Amino acid sequence: MRLLLPVKECFGRVIEKRVVLIVFAVLFVVGMALGIVFIKTPAIYDYHLNRCEKFIDSVCFTDRSVFLIFLERIAGHALILALLLVSGIHPVGLVITPVVFVFRAYTFGGSLAIFFSTYRMTGALIAIAFYIPVHILFDCVFLAAVALSFWRARCFRFCKRDFSALIKDAIILFIFIAIVCIVEVILLLILFHSVGNIL
């Protein structure tokens, strides 16, 4: 139980920022809607089509090792997590958080439009069974990181105690990122990859 106390304390501070959670949840929905609405613009369509093709070719239907995909995905999402958490060391840095969050939502919406309109049944299967649930799980972790950054911004001091607290939050949320990546690997093995493709 003692091992769970830091997690409980961390998410207790997340819940304290209910307004931030609601605002960013709304921003996510707005960004996703914008991604869907503007998908017909040629340049934007090509951008999202390239993203979806890369995702399908390098993650879903590929002969690459699932373990390698796991490492790539965890590294990419850990980088986003670090950016969101570091933005909370100064109030000015908080400008980064809505930009990152809305851009993720925007590309999410655009990708959904491509999956359903261009790839049809295959795209719908990928989106519903794999892409949507995994993406939302990652975004929940990032939403928690945003709340912690807003909680920390006004009281952060460049001292050992505050840096230790920041690192502790980063470790806790990174563990959740890793858990989502493991879920992603399991879904990949069930839906797209053979068990023999783990390594």
Side-chain angles (χ1 to χ4, degrees):
M1 290 299 293
R2 288 184 178 180
L3 292 175
L4 295 178
L5 286 177
V7 177
K8 184 178 179 181
E9 189 272 335
C10 176
F11 281 93
R13 285 183 285 118
V14 169
I15 294 172
E16 284 180 15
K17 290 295 182 180
R18 292 184 183 87
V19 175
V20 173
L21 294 174
I22 293 170
V23 168
F24 274 81
V26 171
L27 281 176
F28 184 85
V29 173
V30 171
M32 184 176 67
L34 290 174
I36 295 172
V37 169
F38 290 107
I39 194 63
K40 293 183 179 180
T41 305
I44 294 175
Y45 178 86
D46 290 342
Y47 171 76
H48 284 101
L49 181 62
N50 289 335
R51 281 178 54 89
C52 290
E53 286 179 349
K54 184 178 179 181
F55 182 79
I56 290 172
D57 292 340
S58 64
V59 176
C60 298
F61 302 119
T62 178
D63 293 329
R64 293 192 314 140
S65 160
V66 172
F67 182 67
L68 179 60
I69 295 171
F70 169 80
L71 292 179
E72 290 177 350
R73 300 284 288 170
I74 200 171
H77 289 91
L79 182 62
I80 297 172
L81 176 65
L83 181 63
L84 291 174
L85 286 175
V86 170
S87 69
I89 65 176
H90 193 279
V92 175
L94 294 177
V95 175
I96 297 171
T97 56
V99 173
V100 172
F101 218 73
V102 171
F103 181 74
R104 271 188 63 82
Y106 176 77
T107 55
F108 178 56
S111 297
L112 288 182
I114 294 292
F115 279 130
F116 283 100
S117 65
T118 303
Y119 292 100
R120 306 290 179 178
M121 288 300 296
T122 302
L125 171 64
I126 293 171
I128 294 171
F130 182 66
Y131 184 73
I132 294 174
V134 170
H135 200 288
I136 289 176
L137 287 173
F138 279 126
D139 288 321
C140 287
V141 179
F142 293 147
L143 189 59
V146 169
L148 289 173
S149 289
F150 273 82
W151 181 90
R152 175 173 287 113
R154 288 188 177 182
C155 60
F156 186 84
R157 298 291 181 269
F158 289 88
C159 62
K160 183 178 179 180
R161 184 190 64 182
D162 287 358
F163 273 115
S164 296
L166 176 61
I167 291 171
K168 186 187 297 185
D169 288 343
I171 291 171
I172 291 170
L173 293 186
F174 177 78
I175 290 171
F176 280 92
I177 288 289
I179 291 171
V180 177
C181 285
I182 291 170
V183 170
E184 185 177 46
V185 165
I186 293 171
L187 289 175
L188 279 174
L189 289 171
I190 293 172
L191 298 172
F192 306 112
H193 292 252
S194 65
V195 176
N197 200 35
I198 294 177
L199 299 174

